Each structure stands twice: as structure tokens, then as C-alpha cells.
Amino acid sequence: SQTIHQWPATLVQPVGSPLSLECTVEGTSNPNLYWYRQAAGRGLQLLFYSVGIGQISSEVPQNLSASRPQDRQFILSSKKLLLSDSGFYLCACIIPGLARNEQFFGPGTRLTVL
Amino acid sequence: DAKTTQPNSMESNEEEPVHLPCNHSTISGTDYIHWYRQLPSQGPEYVIHGLTSNVNNRMASLAIAEDRKSSTLILHRATLRDAAVYYCIQSGSARQLTFGSGTQLTVLP
């Protein structure tokens, strides 16, 4: 079965610093991959999704970017963090061909921007 | 924006059934109703989904109104581990899920 890893688990960064969050998936090939952000006490906001290597779709304009350099690797980046970038970042995937159509979520990265 | 409406919070006693309502009055004929739940400090997990007929699995049951404008997630015997935020989502595919604020379920011992 698939496993989603996210690194790091927690992160505290100053405003204006760069960011790189990594998501890797094991146990499947060619997954659809997603990045979500969850602000405190709120629902999940879809940031990016990818259907294949190098294919990224952005859902909201912002100072974040995403890349998919390998089939099972999804990276979320920023050149300069804002206070409003604080939140719980979740990576998710959909397994192609699975009978039950569901998104599987990773454990998340909690980012605090000071 | 989320297209479904759920109560912000609900309480239940342990080992009693819980009925979590959801309104989705704008649902189209091809939209499924998906339910996910999120335990504290974890990512959401799939609970159940359905189109028209009621659905059962090991976690819960989903009762869908005949006009499909509302549905109810049923936990048959709530446990303390069921305390979570429950999200009801209408979507044509799991590829596009819009999470609202959900219902915070508190289970009382």
C-alpha cells in the first residue's frame, strides 16, 4: 500500500526566508499529487496539483511554487516567506486505477513564520 | 468556496450513534458526496462516499436524501477516537475536493 512522507514535520522560519517542503510517495507509480494548506481552525485550501512529472497546476496566486522533479516527489517552495504563509501543509495523492477513488494524505508539515 | 453546509460543531456521548448532517442543495447529477475526517494534528482520512444509494462500510454509513440535496453520515457507536473534524464534500471526482470548515465532533465519555 502507498505511504506518503513529508519533511520536515515542523518548521519555524523568519519572514523573508526561503522555504522548501518535500513530499515523497512510496508504493505506487504515477500518482496525482496535491499540496494543501490549512490555517489554524480553518478548512484545507488547495494550492497546487500535479498529474505527472513537470506538470503543475496552481489553484491560487501567491508567493509559493511547486515542482515535481520525479514521479513520486513533490516539492513546495517559496523565495520569501510571509507571515500569512504560516499553517499546516499537507501533501496528498490519488492512486491511479484504484477502485475506490480517494485522496490519501501525508502527516503534514507545521510551518510557523515569525 | 465549499458548496456544502454543515453545523460547526456537534457533541455525542460515547457508544451512542451520531448523525452528522450535510446540505448540498446545488449538487449536480454527476457529483458524488464524499466524507473525510481529520483527527487533531493529522491529515484528513477518507470515510465514505456515495452517489445516490445509501452506502455502508466498516467506518460509517451514508444516508442520501432522495432529492440528493442533503445527506447524513452515521457513526453507529461513537468512540473517543471518533472525535475529529468531519468534512462533507460534493464533487464529480476525488481529483477535485474542496474542503470547507467541517463539523467538529466532540465525543463525551
Side-chain angles (χ1 to χ4, degrees):
Chain A
S1 64
Q2 78 292 330
T3 304
I4 302 176
H5 301 280
Q6 288 190 242
W7 184 89
T10 60
L11 189 61
V12 180
Q13 290 285 96
V15 169
S17 63
L19 174 74
S20 181
L21 301 182
E22 184 168 341
C23 168
T24 57
V25 182
E26 290 181 356
T28 187
S29 297
N30 199 30
N32 288 358
L33 295 173
Y34 301 79
W35 276 113
Y36 291 88
R37 177 172 61 199
Q38 186 173 35
R42 307 289 296 275
L44 278 70
Q45 178 187 31
L46 179 62
L47 302 175
F48 301 94
Y49 71 92
S50 171
V51 298
I53 295 175
Q55 301 178 61
I56 308 295
S57 296
S58 174
E59 289 296 301
V60 290
Q62 58 211 316
N63 68 320
L64 300 173
S65 63
S67 62
R68 186 169 176 175
Q70 300 181 44
D71 180 48
R72 291 173 289 177
Q73 185 184 29
F74 204 21
I75 296 172
L76 183 70
S77 303
S78 175
K79 292 182 180 178
K80 284 187 177 182
L81 283 169
L82 307 173
L83 285 174
S84 57
D85 290 325
S86 293
F88 192 39
Y89 287 81
L90 289 155
C91 178
C93 75
I94 287 183
I95 310 303
L98 200 63
R100 193 171 75 189
N101 205 12
E102 68 177 89
Q103 289 194 17
F104 296 91
F105 285 81
T109 293
R110 191 164 301 281
L111 171 66
T112 303
V113 182
L114 301 175
Chain B
D1 290 332
K3 304 172 201 174
T4 61
T5 305
Q6 301 176 250
N8 288 333
S9 61
M10 290 186 66
E11 278 187 359
S12 172
N13 293 319
E14 196 176 10
E15 298 190 1
E16 290 187 358
V18 182
H19 291 235
L20 297 167
C22 180
N23 288 323
H24 28 80
S25 58
T26 63
I27 196 167
S28 74
T30 56
D31 281 346
Y32 284 80
I33 300 140
H34 307 257
W35 282 83
Y36 283 71
R37 72 179 187 181
Q38 186 175 20
L39 279 65
S41 298
Q42 295 186 27
E45 63 174 345
Y46 169 90
V47 177
I48 201 166
H49 78 286
L51 184 62
T52 56
S53 304
N54 294 344
V55 185
N56 299 293
N57 65 22
R58 62 173 181 83
M59 290 181 70
S61 296
L62 177 59
I64 302 172
E66 198 169 329
D67 63 6
R68 301 212 320 127
K69 294 186 176 182
S70 65
S71 62
T72 302
L73 179 71
I74 303 167
L75 307 180
H76 295 286
R77 283 185 70 194
T79 69
L80 296 178
R81 289 178 297 179
D82 290 323
V85 177
Y86 286 78
Y87 298 99
C88 168
I89 303 163
Q90 75 176 67
S91 176
S93 165
R95 289 175 175 75
Q96 293 179 313
L97 300 178
T98 300
F99 289 78
S101 299
T103 296
Q104 173 69 63
L105 174 66
T106 300
V107 180
L108 304 173

